[in-house]
Amino acid sequence: MKTIAFLLHNNFEQAEYEDVNNQLKNKGYKTILITTNKDKEVQGMNQDVNKGDTFIADIFAKDAKVADYDALVVPGGTVNADTIRGNKEAHDIVNAINDAKKPLAVICHAPWILINTGIAKGKTLTAYNTLQTDLENAGANFVDKTVQIDGNLITSRNPDDIKNFVDAIDKALSA
């Protein structure tokens, strides 16, 4: 059974974690929740406006071993993605997954971490529409598609694209 790790902090877009997680579990994957938060209880948000549910992370980022995971998913949410993009532990995990050429799936505002790690440069990516200029300034080619795949990178725009996002992750892990 392949294991998919989710990496988040706090105030993440709940659907981009919970719905993606549930759909991947329904496809037979084991999932694990990694947090950069100092507490294992993490707060979901609904459309960055209303507090959603809380979830308990399985492991802190500092204790995560990338070799244990077959893929990494980074949910968005503006506050979550902005916090993650500046976190060294998150950078280490994202870079290690990318260096291992394992599927690295980021959605909505989460592609910001691809900018801060330097991964975005020269890649064709999609994201929430307000990230277009950020991605282009980082040397990426921005496209407005439900899902964009560039090598091991899987990017998606928003919660409306979750089904296609999950299908792309599944296809990458089935290859």
Side-chain angles (χ1 to χ4, degrees):
M1 176 183 297
K2 292 186 178 179
T3 302
I4 301 170
F6 285 80
L7 175 65
L8 51 79
H9 183 76
N10 235 343
N11 299 317
F12 52 92
E13 182 61 42
Q14 184 166 324
E16 294 169 3
Y17 165 64
E18 187 176 39
D19 294 357
V20 174
N21 183 45
N22 289 338
Q23 288 181 39
L24 289 168
K25 282 181 174 180
N26 288 339
K27 290 182 180 288
Y29 295 103
K30 177 183 175 187
T31 64
I32 187 165
L33 177 54
I34 302 169
T35 186
T36 59
N37 195 17
K38 58 186 167 196
D39 184 357
K40 281 192 176 179
E41 183 176 82
V42 293
Q43 178 68 57
M45 298 294 288
N46 294 311
Q47 300 180 348
D48 277 341
V49 178
N50 299 310
K51 282 190 176 184
D53 298 325
T54 58
F55 300 86
I56 303 298
D58 298 297
I59 190 169
F60 291 113
K62 64 182 176 62
D63 300 321
K65 294 181 177 71
V66 171
D68 295 343
Y69 317 120
D70 298 292
L72 180 68
V73 177
V74 185
T78 310
V79 173
N80 174 68
D82 194 47
T83 303
I84 289 282
R85 76 188 288 191
N87 182 283
K88 183 191 177 325
E89 293 165 347
H91 286 210
D92 292 345
I93 293 168
V94 167
N95 282 323
I97 288 285
N98 189 59
D99 291 348
K101 303 294 183 212
K102 294 179 181 182
L104 173 55
V106 294
I107 186 169
C108 200
H109 286 79
W112 268 335
I113 197 163
L114 302 178
I115 294 170
N116 285 53
T117 56
I119 294 169
K121 187 173 185 175
K123 301 295 182 181
T124 299
L125 307 170
T126 194
Y128 193 75
N129 63 355
T130 61
L131 273 65
Q132 178 175 352
T133 301
D134 296 342
L135 286 165
E136 290 173 346
N137 286 341
N141 177 40
F142 179 86
V143 293
D144 183 16
K145 295 171 54 177
T146 59
V147 173
Q148 174 61 39
I149 299 168
D150 189 329
N152 64 306
L153 300 178
I154 301 166
T155 53
S156 201
R157 300 176 303 186
N158 59 54
D160 294 336
D161 301 334
I162 286 175
K163 182 189 178 319
N164 293 340
F165 184 60
V166 169
D167 288 347
I169 296 166
D170 182 43
K171 184 176 180 182
L173 287 169
S174 299

